[in-house]
Amino acid sequence: MNVQGFSHVTINVNDLNRALSFYVAVLKMQLVHRGRKDAYLEWGSAWICLQERPEKAKQREQLGVDHVAFYIDEKDFDEAVKQLQENNVKIVRGPIKRGLGWSVNFLDPDGTQLELHTSTLAERMKVWK
């Protein structure tokens, strides 16, 4: 297998309209496509798919993805945290210094944990060696 890199994350949501209000209006992701039950959004070089699956809402206690982290330049980090706070987004950890970078973890309207992180994998490994 000759994998070239990370492609995308698909997040199940209870209500697509409510999720889009958060991801587009608050996080400022760019809406690329909106279907009946899904939407594709772009954020820098990262992209995600939101998939309306209300039947999954009762299945919160499951193994799988713990959180989704997005890289943000350190010079933009404080402003991003301020925007989360101004929009009353629930912050569940941070902002804190983690290794060589800064991190803040927060929840989307369905409780999916997202993270903004300022360091690269190479920088993270310097701390773990």
Side-chain angles (χ1 to χ4, degrees), residues 101-115:
W102 284 91
S103 175
V104 62
N105 291 59
F106 55 97
L107 302 179
D108 80 353
D110 288 302
T112 300
Q113 190 172 158
L114 306 173
E115 177 184 7

Side-chain angles (χ1 to χ4, degrees), residues 1-122:
M1 261 185 248
N2 188 20
V3 174
Q4 300 297 310
F6 181 76
S7 177
H8 71 280
V9 173
T10 298
I11 300 173
N12 291 327
V13 299
N14 192 42
D15 180 299
L16 188 58
N17 289 326
R18 183 178 72 163
L20 282 172
S21 291
F22 176 77
Y23 284 88
V24 173
V26 176
L27 298 185
K28 307 297 186 208
M29 290 185 179
Q30 180 183 355
L31 180 62
V32 175
H33 167 79
R34 165 86 193 256
R36 244 180 6 95
K37 297 285 186 179
D38 64 357
Y40 289 83
L41 303 122
E42 195 169 37
W43 216 17
S45 63
W47 61 283
I48 68 167
C49 172
L50 299 177
Q51 187 171 253
E52 187 174 78
R53 301 285 297 272
E55 70 277 8
K56 298 271 186 185
K58 293 183 172 82
Q59 299 174 11
R60 300 300 304 167
E61 299 296 323
Q62 64 181 351
L63 295 176
V65 175
D66 178 71
H67 70 281
V68 179
F70 296 93
Y71 173 79
I72 186 168
D73 195 287
E74 194 163 331
K75 69 178 174 50
D76 299 317
F77 182 78
D78 290 338
E79 180 61 30
V81 171
K82 181 180 172 189
Q83 288 177 21
L84 293 173
Q85 293 167 334
E86 287 174 351
N87 284 281
N88 298 312
V89 175
K90 184 173 182 179
I91 295 175
V92 295
R93 183 177 66 177
I96 61 170
K97 184 83 168 181
R98 294 193 68 219
L100 300 176
W102 284 91
S103 175
V104 62
N105 291 59
F106 55 97
L107 302 179
D108 80 353
D110 288 302
T112 300
Q113 190 172 158
L114 306 173
E115 177 184 7
L116 295 176
H117 193 79
T118 66
S119 70
T120 63
L121 178 59

